[in-house]
Amino acid sequence: MAPGCVCGAAGAGQIVQLNCDQVPGALKQIDAGNGQVAGVNANENIYTLYSGRWTQIPGSLSHISVGPGGFWGVNRNNNIYKLVGAEWVQTDGLLKQIDAGGAQFVSGANMNDDIFCLPEQATVSAKDGSALPWNNIAGKLKYYSCNTNNCWGVNSADDIYYRFSVTPSSCSGSRWQKVSGKLSMIEVGSDGSVFGVNSVGNAYQRY
């Protein structure tokens, strides 16, 4: 058992002590969703956790996400890939960060912090490099994460935002609400839990 992980409730000043099990291996980025776990290491090799062991997936990515929308990732050139069968297929568009946690839709931010999402039908059917109907969402974020019924993001100033009225067919939503606090990254779990990390590496969960 590794030392307990310490996280705080964002905006509440509450400290929570969690018991964490250390898993063998080293990754620079990790994502979990739909009962699966995937990540990339410092060399941009791709791994998934299978039967308690890390199994390498061919390819090279700088960021990966897994969820109801499948396995998606982006490489250092911001090219977007989807895992189709056992092969990474490049799709249309450019993103620096991608999230597959939506209800079979994907979302993310590009190198200019522009925000995009791909509706359910296009996400499911995407199989090659043909044009995709990416929806540009008003605003600027450096990181954007969704689950089946809500989306959260953070901008370059580490301000936190919540997106209203997001649905699988209308992934763009309706409006933003600024939420108190500062985070440099945020992730939404499939159960609606919201987690984040601030600029000095402290972890937070929203209650």
Side-chain angles (χ1 to χ4, degrees):
M1 179 75 71
C5 302
V6 179
C7 65
Q14 180 182 359
I15 302 297
V16 179
Q17 187 81 18
L18 301 176
N19 291 323
C20 300
D21 292 318
Q22 185 173 353
V23 178
L27 296 172
K28 70 172 185 177
Q29 183 259 325
I30 192 169
D31 191 64
N34 220 32
Q36 298 170 299
V37 182
V40 296
N41 67 10
N43 296 320
E44 301 186 348
N45 298 317
I46 310 162
Y47 292 88
T48 184
L49 194 61
Y50 182 74
S51 297
R53 289 188 169 188
W54 290 110
T55 301
Q56 187 171 354
I57 302 174
S60 178
L61 295 174
S62 59
H63 190 275
I64 192 170
S65 183
V66 58
F71 278 79
W72 289 72
V74 295
N75 66 10
R76 64 174 64 187
N77 296 318
N78 301 310
N79 301 126
I80 305 169
Y81 291 86
K82 179 185 180 182
L83 191 63
V84 180
E87 181 179 352
W88 290 104
V89 176
Q90 185 175 346
T91 68
D92 178 45
L94 295 170
L95 292 174
K96 66 177 179 181
Q97 174 261 328
I98 196 163
D99 188 272
Q104 291 194 314
F105 68 90
V106 294
S107 54
N110 71 6
M111 64 291 292
N112 300 314
D113 289 355
D114 298 317
I115 314 156
F116 292 89
C117 70
L118 188 64
E120 175 186 21
Q121 185 175 356
T123 296
V124 173
S125 62
K127 293 181 180 179
D128 54 38
S130 58
L132 293 175
W134 288 101
N135 294 341
N136 185 198
I137 302 170
K140 293 281 187 176
L141 293 175
K142 64 178 178 179
Y143 204 98
Y144 189 52
S145 178
C146 299
N147 73 358
T148 53
N149 33 35
N150 60 70
C151 296
W152 292 73
V154 292
N155 66 11
S156 59
D158 290 352
D159 297 319
I160 308 165
Y161 289 89
Y162 173 81
R163 188 70 175 172
F164 282 89
S165 307
V166 176
T167 67
S169 59
S170 181
C171 61
S172 297
S174 61
R175 64 185 177 89
W176 294 107
Q177 178 175 314
K178 188 177 181 181
V179 178
S180 61
K182 291 280 188 178
L183 293 172
S184 58
M185 191 185 79
I186 197 165
E187 280 284 347
V188 189
S190 56
D191 63 352
S193 300
V194 183
F195 297 89
V197 178
N198 68 9
S199 58
V200 296
N202 295 324
Y204 291 86
Q205 180 178 2
R206 183 172 177 82
Y207 288 95

